[in-house]
Amino acid sequence: MDQKLFQKQNITVRDKFYSMFIVKDVDVLFNRLVEKGESHPDFIDERIPYWADLWPSSIVLSEFILDNYSDMSGMRVLEIGCGLGLPGIVAGSIGADLTFSDYEQAALEVAENNWYLNNSRSAKFLHVDWRVPPEHLKFDLILASDVAYERKSYQNLIQTFKVLLKPEAKILLAEPNRAMARDFPEALVNAGFELNSNTFDYHFGNMNYKIFIHKIC
């Protein structure tokens, strides 16, 4: 992790405090991608550094975890598309056995640093490509915030859910009511999942958001 790009901040989730390395200027990462040129594999694969922002969905998902779970001890939890890793860190603070996954190695490095700012216990950090999910791993709960931002990834993401979930396991999916993702819940239902949804109004960075938390099984 390039320490020069980050600053440490304290994030409050309900009555708990978490320390996080936050990117000072995401545009620096975006410019680095552009500078690689259109023929570079990272540019072709559209590795836009979405992971580097602390999204409102991840904060609301973290609040939902604390509101609905008092103790996650013994629960195997995966945060998929983890970015900075706040929901996973929050779940870990109440006992969950955490695995963080992302397509970007840089995101995993930052999530690992953020985890150890807040936890002395170990966690796992796993590179996952939704197009080829690891079939040997199974989890009790999957956390996902702001992952359905491209329709072309829907079927790969749904297949990843199916591969990684234990029988009777659940997904907590947070989405900020983006127009491009509004048909993702329907795609999940069509794939055989059941949804129970809650809506939360959230004010963040001088903007108001409507965040959906979908509990999926």
Side-chain angles (χ1 to χ4, degrees), residues 120-182:
S120 58
R121 295 185 298 113
S122 63
K124 300 179 182 66
F125 300 87
L126 181 69
H127 178 269
V128 170
D129 183 341
W130 296 340
R131 294 167 292 193
V132 282
E135 297 190 6
H136 64 289
L137 297 175
K138 302 292 179 184
F139 296 90
D140 301 303
L141 179 67
I142 291 178
L143 307 175
S145 56
D146 257 338
V147 294
Y149 50 82
E150 292 181 317
R151 286 188 174 89
K152 67 181 181 180
S153 70
Y154 282 9
Q155 293 308 312
N156 291 328
L157 183 54
I158 289 169
Q159 181 61 23
T160 294
F161 286 159
K162 289 183 174 181
V163 168
L164 295 178
L165 283 175
K166 291 181 179 179
E168 309 302 323
K170 293 180 174 60
I171 305 158
L172 295 180
L173 172 69
E175 288 297 331
N177 198 31
R178 286 200 176 97
M180 67 184 69
R182 285 175 188 161

Side-chain angles (χ1 to χ4, degrees), residues 6-23 54 59 84 86 89-90 114 117-118 202 204:
F6 296 85
Q7 59 188 3
K8 191 187 295 185
Q9 292 185 10
N10 291 323
I11 308 297
T12 304
V13 182
R14 296 300 187 229
D15 60 346
K16 296 180 181 292
F17 299 92
Y18 301 91
S19 295
M20 303 277 291
F21 286 112
I22 305 293
V23 177
L54 181 62
I59 300 173
L84 302 176
L86 180 61
I89 290 166
V90 169
N114 284 339
L117 279 177
N118 297 278
Y202 187 73
F204 182 79

Side-chain angles (χ1 to χ4, degrees), residues 52-213:
D53 273 320
L54 181 62
W55 296 99
S57 293
S58 68
I59 300 173
V60 174
L61 178 56
S62 299
E63 292 177 344
F64 187 86
I65 291 167
L66 292 180
D67 288 343
N68 290 273
Y69 297 87
S70 59
D71 186 359
M72 285 185 159
S73 298
M75 187 179 293
R76 293 195 67 196
V77 176
L78 169 70
E79 184 176 359
I80 193 168
C82 67
L84 302 176
L86 180 61
I89 290 166
V90 169
S93 73
I94 52 174
D97 176 11
L98 249 297
T99 298
F100 294 85
S101 70
D102 205 285
Y103 188 44
E104 291 289 346
Q105 188 60 40
L108 290 173
E109 292 174 5
V110 178
E112 183 171 4
N113 278 274
N114 284 339
W115 170 264
Y116 288 112
L117 279 177
N118 297 278
N119 293 279
S120 58
R121 295 185 298 113
S122 63
K124 300 179 182 66
F125 300 87
L126 181 69
H127 178 269
V128 170
D129 183 341
W130 296 340
R131 294 167 292 193
V132 282
E135 297 190 6
H136 64 289
L137 297 175
K138 302 292 179 184
F139 296 90
D140 301 303
L141 179 67
I142 291 178
L143 307 175
S145 56
D146 257 338
V147 294
Y149 50 82
E150 292 181 317
R151 286 188 174 89
K152 67 181 181 180
S153 70
Y154 282 9
Q155 293 308 312
N156 291 328
L157 183 54
I158 289 169
Q159 181 61 23
T160 294
F161 286 159
K162 289 183 174 181
V163 168
L164 295 178
L165 283 175
K166 291 181 179 179
E168 309 302 323
K170 293 180 174 60
I171 305 158
L172 295 180
L173 172 69
E175 288 297 331
N177 198 31
R178 286 200 176 97
M180 67 184 69
R182 285 175 188 161
D183 55 353
F184 185 59
E186 181 181 356
L188 285 164
V189 171
N190 291 338
F193 290 94
E194 296 180 1
L195 275 70
N196 183 2
S197 301
N198 294 276
T199 309
F200 300 89
D201 293 320
Y202 187 73
H203 184 77
F204 182 79
N206 296 319
M207 293 185 66
N208 294 315
Y209 294 86
K210 187 177 294 293
I211 308 294
F212 289 89
I213 303 288

